[in-house]
Amino acid sequence: MSAETRHAKHDTGRLDLRDGWRRRAEELGYDVDELIRAAAPEPPGPDGGLRADGPQGPRTPSPEEIAQEVFDPRHGLTAFDKEFSTAQLLARVADACRYGVRSEELEDLALRVLGVQGYAKALPPRGSQLMEHTERYTTLDILRAERTIVDQARNRYADGSARLSADQAAAALSVFEVSAGFTLGGEQRRVVERLLTAGHGVDAVIGVAGSGKTSLMEACRVGWDGVGLTYAGASLSAVAAQNLYEGSGIPSRTVAAWLQRIHGGDGLTGIDVLVLDEAVMTDDRSLAVLLTEAARTGTKVIGIGDPQQLQAIGPGGGFA
């Protein structure tokens, strides 16, 4: 192939390919302008997150707009982790700038996002400080959830919730052992006695898998039935909720269903005891909501689980 032939094949300067393509597309019935708008949309209008700013084109979002996005509890930096680094913040701030941001402006913009009131909180340094952007932060809603969990456990200590007498508890244990066909061990009996007679508004049962935690809840259910208390269960998944019901006789639903009921207005009204199965897998935000509602309705909350087992999908640790 000669150089002249090669040049002829690639010399399209005198051809308007776009005009030819447009004619062919229109002949096939396509709206070319609509296709272009779908493939390369213009910046959103005044109702969108980003707006055109006169002849300069799309603007960079304000620090307040970015903070609202990157610190969103459902999708932001602490949706699944309790803390984030400066490096992670820089990446999310850059993502929030849909039409780009100059690299030399990114760090300053991230600092201004951190400075927006009501979102981020610096954490003490940890580990090596030789690398850049390792500073640690969390969000204030995580701290509020943690504080709520601790405060509710302290404030409701020995508040008399769902409290039975020693005789009533002993009778419940006897009935359970006869119906179950086996005798509980000494430690197991002490757990049931504590849950039935101590009267704590927030209580916990910690035990490894297979240690009989669900059987202990069945023994407690016998006691609650004996004095006419209402009870219900909660678990992260529908399968676990069904397992709790089958193993203890406590009707159960998912944590999400309880949260929906709380936000819908009915909440825990009419429930004397709520058993939170696999409590370690309940994230702190959800646990804080449950405990706050339980305090309002006077519901005793019993969390059962093992902090060494599977952790929460979201920011967790409240049970531990």
Side-chain angles (χ1 to χ4, degrees), residues 33 76 288:
D33 292 326

Side-chain angles (χ1 to χ4, degrees), residues 164 172 196 218-231 248-249:
L164 279 66
L196 293 180
E218 184 180 3
C220 289
R221 178 188 61 78
V222 173
W224 298 326
D225 276 335
V227 296
L229 294 177
T230 59
Y231 45 80
S248 66

Side-chain angles (χ1 to χ4, degrees), residues 205-214 235-236 240 276-282 303-314 316-320:
V205 179
I206 299 174
V208 299
S211 60
K213 298 187 294 294
T214 304
S235 196
L236 188 65
L276 181 58
D277 193 20
E278 300 296 350
V280 70
M281 297 181 67
T282 302
I304 60 176
D306 179 4
Q308 302 303 317
Q309 291 181 322
L310 291 174
Q311 300 299 301
I313 297 174
F319 180 71

